[in-house]
Amino acid sequence: MRTEELLSDLESSLEFNHEKRRDIYSELTRLHPNNEEYRESLSFHSEKVIERRQQAVRQENIESQFSSWDGSHRNLERLIKSSMNDPDSYDHVETTFTDNGDHLRVLTKFRGRNAFGGVVLDSVEAKVAINGQILEVIDNR
């Protein structure tokens, strides 16, 4: 009787929720430990739940690297300021990034004073690890 209820829950579920299906297949597997279909479905949905959690953690790691105030990449901004003639003149213009899977490519545009006192627009592009560490400066214009 409980098996019928669980199977009905699976069929009536319009939303493809891996956690809910994992829980249902977990109970079905407990009730019918020799049912290969239930075990395979449990394994599939369990893997999907883990993948989604890993994606969420990864996204949080990426988002935490950027300022919520102006969108600048915190570590890249520190690196830029450390190499500027007048770090106090740093003025963030725009930061964009591309997610390349194992790293990010971050492009920051900014203004600052040059050695002659003039304000210039400059940019730096860097390869950045998912944890925020600057791996390589690719271009400094």
Side-chain angles (χ1 to χ4, degrees), residues 84 89-93 109-113 119-122:
M84 285 180 69
S89 70
Y90 176 88
D91 180 29
H92 177 260
V93 174
K109 296 179 183 177
F110 61 97
R111 289 186 184 84
R113 291 201 197 291
V119 176
V120 295
L121 180 63
D122 205 350

Side-chain angles (χ1 to χ4, degrees), residues 2-138:
R2 179 66 181 142
T3 300
E4 290 173 13
E5 290 174 14
L6 292 168
L7 292 173
S8 175
D9 285 348
L10 281 172
E11 289 179 18
S12 68
S13 176
L14 297 176
E15 183 181 315
F16 196 74
N17 182 327
H18 290 293
E19 285 189 19
K20 180 177 180 182
R21 289 178 180 266
R22 178 204 57 196
D23 294 345
I24 291 171
Y25 279 115
S26 177
E27 190 167 346
L28 283 168
T29 300
R30 187 180 51 77
L31 293 171
H32 306 279
N34 295 327
N35 187 309
E36 186 66 28
E37 180 183 339
Y38 295 160
R39 287 198 319 254
E40 287 176 10
S41 294
L42 172 60
S43 177
F44 172 80
H45 291 290
S46 295
E47 287 175 20
K48 291 296 181 185
V49 167
I50 291 169
E51 285 175 18
R52 287 219 172 133
R53 286 182 183 157
Q54 289 171 338
Q55 288 172 349
V57 167
R58 184 178 193 281
Q59 188 63 31
E60 287 176 20
N61 284 340
I62 291 171
E63 289 175 7
S64 71
Q65 297 176 37
F66 296 89
S67 166
S68 59
W69 176 257
D70 65 3
S72 62
H73 188 276
R74 291 181 181 94
N75 291 341
L76 187 53
E77 183 175 311
R78 276 193 282 277
L79 180 69
I80 292 167
K81 286 181 178 181
S82 72
S83 66
M84 285 180 69
N85 185 53
D86 180 4
D88 292 335
S89 70
Y90 176 88
D91 180 29
H92 177 260
V93 174
E94 175 186 36
T95 296
T96 57
F97 75 93
T98 305
D99 186 345
N100 290 338
D102 64 336
H103 69 278
L104 305 176
R105 282 182 76 113
V106 180
L107 174 64
T108 294
K109 296 179 183 177
F110 61 97
R111 289 186 184 84
R113 291 201 197 291
N114 63 16
F116 303 107
V119 176
V120 295
L121 180 63
D122 205 350
S123 66
V124 172
E125 186 174 8
K127 182 177 177 180
V128 180
I130 299 303
N131 67 5
Q133 176 186 0
I134 306 297
L135 300 172
E136 172 187 3
V137 173
I138 299 167

